Amino acid sequence: MKLLASLRKIKIALHWQILIGIGLGVLFGLFAHQYIHYTKWLGDIFLRALKMVVIPLVFSALVMGVSSVGKAVDLGRIAGKSFLWYVTTTLMACTLGLLLVNFFKPGENVDLQLEKTVTEIEATSNSFLDQIVSIVPENIVQAMSESQMLPVIFFAILFGFFITKSGDKTRTLLTDVFNGIYEVMIKITFLVIRFAPIGLFGVVSNMVGAQAGDSKALGVMFGSLGIYSAIIAGGCIIHGLLTIPGLFTLYTRKNPYKVMKMMGTALLTAFTTASSAASLPIALRDIQEKVGVSRKISSFCLPLGNTVNMDGTALFECVTAIFIAQAYGIELTIVQQIVVILTSLMAAVGAAGIPLAGLVMLAVVLEAVGLPLEGIGLVLVVQQPLDMIRTSVNLWGDISGATLVALTEGEKLNI
């Protein structure tokens, strides 16, 4: 009895729970694959819950973010520089990811045993003009119910912008309402994430179990996952150690690796927790005390970047969308891949700084190009270690952006 009581007091970190769930799912799929129909429903519920939070989370986050930025009149110049940095680095991350995934093609010749066929994927046949026209919704409620992400994102940005043009009473009321909705949606998202170990067990056991009798298919699947993981990890490392520092040096003529060394504690916290939000207080303290960035700039740029600047997450979403398309045997055109980049950029704006939020935003990207959410099932196997790597890159993009803005504003820093 004392042993049981002691075991109840042991709290296992979420990332370890997720890894245990994945490991058990692989073992169950391999050695008890005849029973996977008893576990499949766990994964189905998890994916449905993930899809459930997408629309309200993205909509409230974008409305809140746009309306909040609109009020920062005195920080207009700083906001402009920040957004230019965020958009530039995120687009570069997406482009790097697309180059790598199109060169190595990890999803080719992989049978994922997914439920939908290529003929059921309709959105990939849309022309560029169709994509542009479809951004403007005829009925926003219908667009939300059908999970049409581009129209929802467009309307959210428009709605948030015109909140800032309303009277004081209306602006205050709507800002408070959407702040409240966003806070509630974050809590619901946390609830979904809490059940991720169980959901992952169901998803992974079904994915592995579907091919347990075919050792060649299993070898191809895990080999492709290894290449896919290496592409994302390698892309994040290249972006974090070469692209961002190179762009930073080009603009400032300063050594970015000095900043990286000073901010090591915050970056390590982001890596170990897989949460940029968890590392934000440490980042704010260290960038002010060690780097020397003023409180005015750091308190604006870092929280804003924590919400809208997700370089590593955007790279992950681009690579994963193309990887799943390749697994379906779909060759996306240049225009369709541009849609993936733009959607990843906008989805990254709505990505909350919480563990596994990238999964929620990945659903946004997949739906924008008409790929089914079942494709998420395979990549969940390697989600946790990749989440840790890309979260560090997310925070590094925020830190370097805040430092760059401070330097361009004439501040004297300790670098």
Side-chain angles (χ1 to χ4, degrees), residues 3-47:
L3 178 61
L4 289 174
S6 300
L7 288 173
R8 290 193 191 101
K9 293 180 181 179
I10 297 175
K11 292 185 177 180
I12 304 175
L14 179 61
H15 61 275
W16 289 114
Q17 293 180 36
I18 289 171
L19 290 174
I20 291 171
I22 290 171
L24 291 176
V26 171
L27 293 175
F28 191 91
L30 287 173
F31 301 108
H33 55 90
Q34 64 271 31
Y35 301 111
I36 59 173
H37 57 280
Y38 292 116
T39 62
K40 183 177 181 296
W41 65 274
L42 295 171
D44 290 342
I45 289 178
F46 176 67
L47 291 177

Side-chain angles (χ1 to χ4, degrees), residues 119-161:
T119 56
E120 293 178 270
I121 304 173
E122 300 173 357
T124 54
S125 63
N126 289 348
S127 68
F128 179 71
L129 287 177
D130 290 336
Q131 294 284 358
I132 296 297
V133 172
S134 66
I135 291 176
V136 181
E138 292 180 343
N139 185 326
I140 186 59
V141 176
Q142 181 181 357
M144 288 180 171
S145 67
E146 296 177 355
S147 296
Q148 299 175 16
M149 292 313 306
L150 290 178
V152 171
I153 291 173
F154 172 78
F155 186 80
I157 293 173
L158 201 64
F159 195 90
F161 174 77

Side-chain angles (χ1 to χ4, degrees), residues 123 193 285 331 401:
I193 290 171
R285 180 198 66 193
E331 186 173 348

